[in-house]
Amino acid sequence: MHAALLRQQLAAFLSPAELPDDDAPFLLDQRKRYTSTDCVVVQPASVENVKKTVRFCAQHRIAITPQGGNTGLVGGSVAHGGIVLNLGKLNRIRHINLADNAITVDAGCILQNVQTAAAEHGRFFPLSLASEGSCQIGGNIACNAGGLNVLRYGTMRDLVLGLEVVLPNGELVSHLHPLHKNTTGYELKHLFIGSEGTLGIITGATLKLFAPPQTTETAWVGLDNVQAAISLLSNIKNHFAERLCSFELVSRFALELSAAHSRLAEPLHAEWHILLELTDSLPRHDLQDELAEFLCQNGGEHSIIAQNDQQRRDLWTLRENISAAQRTLGTSIKHDIAVPIAHTAAFIEQCGRDLTAQYPDIQLVVFGHLGDGSLHYNTFFPNELGDSVYRREEAVNATVYRHVLHNHGTIAAEHGIGTLKKSWLPQVRTADEIALMRAIKSQLDPNHLFNPNKLLPD
Amino acid sequence: MHAALLRQQLAAFLSPAELPDDDAPFLLDQRKRYTSTDCVVVQPASVENVKKTVRFCAQHRIAITPQGGNTGLVGGSVAHGGIVLNLGKLNRIRHINLADNAITVDAGCILQNVQTAAAEHGRFFPLSLASEGSCQIGGNIACNAGGLNVLRYGTMRDLVLGLEVVLPNGELVSHLHPLHKNTTGYELKHLFIGSEGTLGIITGATLKLFAPPQTTETAWVGLDNVQAAISLLSNIKNHFAERLCSFELVSRFALELSAAHSRLAEPLHAEWHILLELTDSLPRHDLQDELAEFLCQNGGEHSIIAQNDQQRRDLWTLRENISAAQRTLGTSIKHDIAVPIAHTAAFIEQCGRDLTAQYPDIQLVVFGHLGDGSLHYNTFFPNELGDSVYRREEAVNATVYRHVLHNHGTIAAEHGIGTLKKSWLPQVRTADEIALMRAIKSQLDPNHLFNPNKLLPD
């Protein structure tokens, strides 16, 4: 159906506010790599109107691309034809249940607003990531978002108690009452989590809340090599247990870039750096001394512990600004990968050596969440201008992913598959697994109208 | 195929040790309610022989009922015809990876042996339940077992990093390398967890390990009503956070039975009792004082805190002996249910009143894991002799489950659906959900050979 006609028909049951005049913010993805074409953007303001829209589309065989905050990095919510169904107007905090430590929210709630709502009730919602000011809970769930607190609290998958989903047939599946134990048939909730909008539209979710941290200790540790970081991680985790909230790896080069960009001094000089943070729900004045003593006894003596909030913020600024700082190097070919922690050192060493041999001019910016084995492994080519770097993408990916798979890792740790990586899926899943995924897709969405051409290979 | 002939054909590729002479222990379920008939028991000693057995059965259209420690309570591994494939001979601890805090084991490992192996490496595997000396990891996964430590560490689902599964077509799906983040298509692992052997045979698993507790504080608290227990739970969880490991509810009647059976004094007198435990990975001499002060300030002043290991064991004996003690009341109709914690008081009050009105002679033994909202809700009828009590089962279940569903709960918290509850599945899942479950089943097991007549309604 032609976009103008489609818009006119949608206006029969959607209000003008649900059909935004300015489509532009919804059509270009965050990395400016993908542009949606020939589609109508709708923003239903109620679950009922999501259902109506889905039924209308099912009846007329119109494709639906669900979209949250449009902060994805793999082209997961780009549309060619049909509608982009943006959840942004479905943004109520529905209910907080303190007995069950649970919050029920609309899918279009911005992550930061959920964090704030929890805090207002004396609770803590731990998902935290760079785009938390604009990404939406529904997108976080659809992509199984990760971020900075996975080590202690898990990924988004671990934080979901219940889901409300509009299926491609327009029916609602709603399990929003918090059940901490439930084994009644196959666990379908976990199919929707991470399905990137291909199986249904998440319209609401019940999420776990936690006790807020009362004590925070932050340290920056310099180490000679990644293996030393792995040993430190293993020991600190077995000593401080779930208090270990973050354990971030930063290469020397990444730190240099970020320090210059942030106009901050490098906290210390070393080949590899760790930013680690302990939190405790109880006020613990002795935690800093314990951490200092532990670091001295476990190879972390080349370190500093933040003595006040300003120092803590500065250390985090150095970590968080790496993404922005690296842009001075040009356009990058990025990799969102994870390997077993035990394999991280081998992967970084082998893959770095191989890429440098292939591309003598390559610049590697390596950093990430070592605490859960996931790395942002970004490659830059100073001799390539702008997007011309992408002509190297296929070959660079082939090398990086070969080393990832050799080290039993994954090509998609926390950003999903989307458009960008779907041709790689057969490398990481068996034919039986992909056949099962296709059967699940066909059962729920026989006409393949939901987020077409994403995730599953053609 | 006749059992004797089938056994003969299996002997062509299985060793005599893999075809046990004494079938009896595998044919009668733990509660002595279900007896397998007309089937051959096999115990393959290798994954390869599981695959061979599955391929043989696929070829000859022979049903396979997978079985772990045969400790299930819902008739989940009872067979009528075909083979019972018991995993007990597949019982190696394969690998411990300290960097990733992960242990990889054969599915037939007894839970206690996994706990021990973790402890030998200075780590802690937290799943703990009454049958831990005989239940197997594969069965724990297939049924998504719960138990005593769910509040802090989650159910078995939360403890699985990776699975190895033999599909009904004889192919292996193996993802045993520990990845703490991975979003590559639909999460199939969570389909197998809790699928009760209907989708494949779990042959191996990689499980999460944790830092061992160094401090344990155990308290027994007497309260006037369940609502007071819910308030205490909410407050203590928000104060001590993940230190709260257990929060068990015991009714006065349940305690009286258990105290008499255990020849122990009742720790204190009250209508409702809580056994709670805090653990910490660090040695914390001040934790007991903090707990005492907290209880005084939060309505838990009628309480005792164990002062030594013997007192701690005695308190736990009182909790753990309820199951054995209640047998003096005769045969029971048991319910393994969960409701949102916020609804627990209402459920107990409403359901108890309704049952007592219907059956003036009823005796209710109510206890369970209030910390995660799940209850063992057991009903006894002193005027019914032995199994004659079961003639009341349908009516009692109807009342109990009506109140469970009214309070947004589940009819199967931690024991699964099996044979016992499959007719109830359509009450808790929508037609769309059951259709999707059937599609998944048909894709993997088109001839419905894996654990037939379980879980999914006829």
Side-chain angles (χ1 to χ4, degrees):
Chain A
M1 198 183 297
H2 188 277
L5 175 61
L6 174 54
R7 195 180 152 92
Q8 196 183 325
Q9 296 208 3
L10 290 163
F13 58 90
L14 294 175
S15 71
E18 291 171 304
L19 289 160
D21 288 325
D22 181 12
D23 278 4
F26 310 104
L27 301 182
L28 181 65
D29 85 311
Q30 172 156 301
R31 292 178 67 196
K32 301 186 173 44
R33 287 197 68 177
Y34 299 98
T35 308
S36 292
T37 55
D38 193 29
C39 58
V40 177
V41 176
V42 302
Q43 289 195 294
S46 67
V47 175
E48 196 48 43
N49 282 355
V50 174
K51 287 164 70 176
K52 278 186 192 163
T53 306
V54 169
R55 283 186 191 140
F56 171 85
C57 290
Q59 193 185 342
H60 297 280
R61 299 276 170 104
I62 293 164
I64 298 182
T65 300
Q67 185 180 75
N70 194 21
T71 61
L73 298 170
V74 293
S77 67
V78 63
H80 299 294
I83 70 167
V84 170
L85 194 154
N86 182 286
L87 277 295
K89 281 212 165 25
L90 217 63
N91 57 7
R92 270 185 323 130
I93 305 287
R94 294 193 199 171
H95 181 59
I96 291 194
N97 170 343
L98 294 182
D100 286 275
N101 258 349
I103 187 168
T104 301
V105 303
D106 283 350
C109 281
I110 287 172
L111 170 53
Q112 204 165 61
N113 295 344
V114 177
Q115 296 166 346
T116 303
E120 285 168 359
H121 288 78
R123 295 296 190 277
F124 178 62
F125 183 66
L127 192 77
S128 176
L129 37 92
S131 60
E132 63 194 24
S134 51
C135 66
Q136 295 171 12
I137 288 296
N140 296 150
I141 296 171
C143 299
N144 186 20
L148 294 170
N149 289 328
V150 171
L151 187 48
R152 178 167 187 157
Y153 299 97
T155 65
M156 192 62 178
R157 180 181 300 287
D158 301 298
L159 303 175
V160 174
L161 277 169
L163 283 185
E164 177 188 83
V165 183
V166 176
L167 300 180
N169 63 4
E171 294 294 318
L172 196 70
V173 169
S174 179
H175 295 286
L176 289 177
H177 295 284
L179 287 173
H180 310 273
K181 272 185 193 164
N182 183 15
T183 303
T184 45
Y186 309 150
E187 181 50 282
L188 304 180
K189 173 179 87 181
H190 284 298
L191 279 182
F192 293 107
I193 300 171
S195 68
E196 304 187 23
T198 61
L199 299 180
I201 296 173
I202 296 164
T203 52
T206 298
L207 308 169
K208 292 182 193 171
L209 297 177
F210 296 84
Q214 301 292 342
T215 310
T216 304
E217 296 298 341
T218 310
W220 192 281
V221 186
L223 295 164
D224 292 338
N225 51 60
V226 178
Q227 194 56 51
I230 295 171
S231 298
L232 178 62
L233 170 63
S234 177
N235 290 335
I236 202 169
K237 207 171 160 182
N238 206 40
H239 188 77
F240 290 102
E242 54 282 287
R243 287 178 185 83
L244 184 63
C245 200
S246 299
F247 195 93
E248 299 284 308
L249 181 74
V250 178
S251 72
R252 180 166 63 83
F253 182 48
L255 174 61
E256 286 166 1
L257 288 172
S258 182
H261 175 92
S262 313
R263 299 175 187 218
L264 286 168
E266 294 174 32
L268 43 83
H269 294 283
E271 278 307 298
W272 291 95
H273 299 261
I274 295 294
L275 172 60
L276 69 87
E277 194 159 276
L278 305 179
T279 61
D280 199 306
S281 73
L282 296 175
R284 286 296 193 203
H285 302 297
D286 48 0
L287 193 61
Q288 183 169 134
D289 288 346
E290 287 182 61
L291 175 59
E293 191 187 332
F294 181 87
L295 288 173
C296 280
Q297 289 171 355
N298 287 271
E301 57 275 6
H302 188 31
S303 59
I304 60 163
I305 299 180
Q307 294 302 311
N308 53 50
D309 277 350
Q310 183 59 47
Q311 284 184 15
R312 172 173 302 123
R313 273 196 299 273
D314 285 350
L315 295 180
W316 274 106
T317 297
L318 287 169
R319 164 64 184 85
E320 285 164 359
N321 276 355
I322 298 172
S323 290
Q326 67 185 359
R327 284 186 203 127
T328 58
L329 303 177
T331 303
S332 71
I333 301 170
K334 291 180 201 289
H335 305 94
D336 157 47
I337 56 177
V339 296
I341 295 165
H343 286 262
T344 329
F347 165 78
I348 290 175
E349 199 276 329
Q350 294 160 358
C351 189
R353 192 176 46 198
D354 218 5
L355 283 173
T356 310
Q358 268 179 280
Y359 308 99
D361 64 332
I362 198 169
Q363 291 181 303
L364 295 170
V365 178
V366 180
F367 63 106
H369 320 296
L370 182 63
D372 54 49
S374 83
L375 294 175
H376 301 296
Y377 194 88
N378 299 337
T379 59
F380 294 85
F381 300 87
N383 300 322
E384 298 284 350
L385 227 58
D387 286 1
S388 77
V389 75
Y390 289 133
R391 66 195 179 88
R392 292 188 172 178
E393 186 166 32
E394 206 177 311
V396 172
N397 286 351
T399 299
V400 173
Y401 293 157
R402 181 164 51 80
H403 285 286
V404 167
L405 298 180
H406 177 73
N407 283 289
H408 313 295
T410 175
I411 61 162
E414 56 177 9
H415 298 165
I417 297 291
T419 303
L420 192 64
K421 297 183 181 176
K422 68 179 181 151
S423 66
W424 278 90
L425 206 68
Q427 308 291 321
V428 294
R429 294 287 177 218
T430 68
D432 285 310
E433 290 176 284
I434 289 177
L436 177 55
M437 290 185 204
R438 288 193 194 284
I440 292 165
K441 171 75 172 169
S442 292
Q443 171 66 26
L444 286 176
D445 184 18
N447 297 314
H448 289 241
L449 297 177
F450 266 50
N451 212 1
N453 303 312
K454 309 291 168 17
L455 195 112
L456 286 168
D458 304 320
Chain B
M1 198 182 297
H2 189 276
L5 176 61
L6 174 54
R7 194 180 153 93
Q8 197 182 326
Q9 296 207 3
L10 291 162
F13 58 89
L14 294 175
S15 70
E18 292 170 303
L19 290 159
D21 288 324
D22 182 11
D23 279 5
F26 310 104
L27 301 184
L28 182 64
D29 85 311
Q30 174 157 295
R31 290 177 69 195
K32 301 187 172 48
R33 287 196 67 175
Y34 299 99
T35 307
S36 293
T37 55
D38 192 28
C39 58
V40 177
V41 176
V42 302
Q43 289 196 295
S46 66
V47 175
E48 196 48 43
N49 282 356
V50 174
K51 288 164 69 176
K52 277 185 192 164
T53 305
V54 169
R55 283 184 191 141
F56 170 86
C57 289
Q59 192 184 343
H60 297 280
R61 300 275 171 104
I62 293 164
I64 298 181
T65 300
Q67 184 181 76
N70 195 21
T71 60
L73 298 170
V74 293
S77 69
V78 63
H80 300 294
I83 70 167
V84 170
L85 195 154
N86 182 288
L87 277 296
K89 281 209 164 27
L90 218 63
N91 56 9
R92 269 183 324 130
I93 303 288
R94 293 193 198 172
H95 181 59
I96 291 194
N97 170 343
L98 294 183
D100 285 275
N101 259 348
I103 186 168
T104 301
V105 303
D106 283 350
C109 282
I110 287 171
L111 170 53
Q112 204 165 61
N113 295 344
V114 177
Q115 295 167 346
T116 303
E120 284 168 1
H121 288 78
R123 294 297 189 278
F124 177 62
F125 183 66
L127 192 77
S128 176
L129 37 93
S131 60
E132 63 194 23
S134 52
C135 67
Q136 295 171 13
I137 288 295
N140 296 149
I141 296 171
C143 299
N144 186 21
L148 295 170
N149 289 328
V150 170
L151 187 47
R152 177 168 187 157
Y153 300 98
T155 65
M156 192 63 179
R157 180 181 300 287
D158 302 297
L159 303 174
V160 175
L161 278 169
L163 282 186
E164 178 187 85
V165 183
V166 176
L167 301 180
N169 63 4
E171 294 296 315
L172 196 70
V173 170
S174 178
H175 295 286
L176 290 177
H177 295 284
L179 288 174
H180 310 274
K181 272 185 193 164
N182 184 15
T183 302
T184 45
Y186 309 150
E187 180 51 280
L188 305 179
K189 173 180 86 182
H190 285 298
L191 279 182
F192 293 106
I193 300 171
S195 68
E196 305 186 24
T198 61
L199 298 179
I201 296 172
I202 296 163
T203 53
T206 298
L207 308 170
K208 292 182 191 170
L209 297 177
F210 296 84
Q214 301 291 342
T215 309
T216 304
E217 297 297 343
T218 310
W220 192 280
V221 186
L223 294 164
D224 292 339
N225 52 59
V226 178
Q227 194 56 50
I230 294 171
S231 297
L232 178 62
L233 170 63
S234 178
N235 290 335
I236 202 169
K237 208 171 159 181
N238 206 41
H239 188 78
F240 290 102
E242 55 282 286
R243 286 178 186 84
L244 184 63
C245 200
S246 299
F247 195 92
E248 300 285 307
L249 180 74
V250 178
S251 71
R252 181 167 61 85
F253 182 48
L255 175 62
E256 286 166 0
L257 288 172
S258 182
H261 175 92
S262 313
R263 301 178 185 214
L264 286 168
E266 294 174 33
L268 43 83
H269 294 283
E271 278 306 298
W272 290 94
H273 300 261
I274 295 295
L275 173 60
L276 69 87
E277 194 159 276
L278 305 179
T279 61
D280 198 305
S281 72
L282 295 175
R284 287 294 192 204
H285 301 298
D286 47 2
L287 192 61
Q288 185 169 133
D289 288 346
E290 287 182 61
L291 175 59
E293 193 187 331
F294 180 87
L295 287 173
C296 279
Q297 290 171 354
N298 287 273
E301 56 276 5
H302 188 33
S303 59
I304 60 164
I305 299 181
Q307 294 303 310
N308 54 49
D309 277 351
Q310 184 59 46
Q311 283 184 14
R312 173 172 302 123
R313 273 196 300 274
D314 285 351
L315 295 180
W316 274 106
T317 298
L318 287 170
R319 163 64 184 85
E320 284 163 359
N321 277 356
I322 298 172
S323 291
Q326 67 185 359
R327 284 186 203 126
T328 58
L329 302 177
T331 303
S332 70
I333 300 169
K334 292 180 201 287
H335 305 93
D336 157 46
I337 57 178
V339 296
I341 295 165
H343 286 263
T344 330
F347 166 78
I348 289 174
E349 199 277 329
Q350 294 159 358
C351 190
R353 191 177 46 198
D354 218 5
L355 283 172
T356 309
Q358 268 179 281
Y359 307 98
D361 64 331
I362 199 169
Q363 292 181 301
L364 295 170
V365 178
V366 180
F367 62 105
H369 319 296
L370 183 63
D372 54 49
S374 82
L375 293 175
H376 301 296
Y377 194 88
N378 299 337
T379 60
F380 294 84
F381 300 86
N383 299 323
E384 297 283 350
L385 226 59
D387 287 0
S388 76
V389 76
Y390 289 133
R391 67 195 180 86
R392 293 187 171 179
E393 186 166 32
E394 209 177 308
V396 171
N397 286 352
T399 299
V400 173
Y401 293 159
R402 181 163 53 78
H403 286 286
V404 166
L405 298 180
H406 176 73
N407 282 289
H408 313 295
T410 175
I411 61 163
E414 57 177 8
H415 298 164
I417 296 290
T419 304
L420 192 63
K421 298 183 181 176
K422 67 178 180 153
S423 66
W424 278 90
L425 206 67
Q427 308 291 322
V428 294
R429 294 287 178 217
T430 67
D432 285 310
E433 290 177 285
I434 290 177
L436 177 55
M437 291 185 203
R438 288 194 195 282
I440 292 164
K441 170 74 172 171
S442 292
Q443 171 66 26
L444 286 176
D445 184 18
N447 297 313
H448 289 239
L449 297 177
F450 265 49
N451 212 1
N453 304 313
K454 309 290 166 21
L455 196 115
L456 286 168
D458 303 319

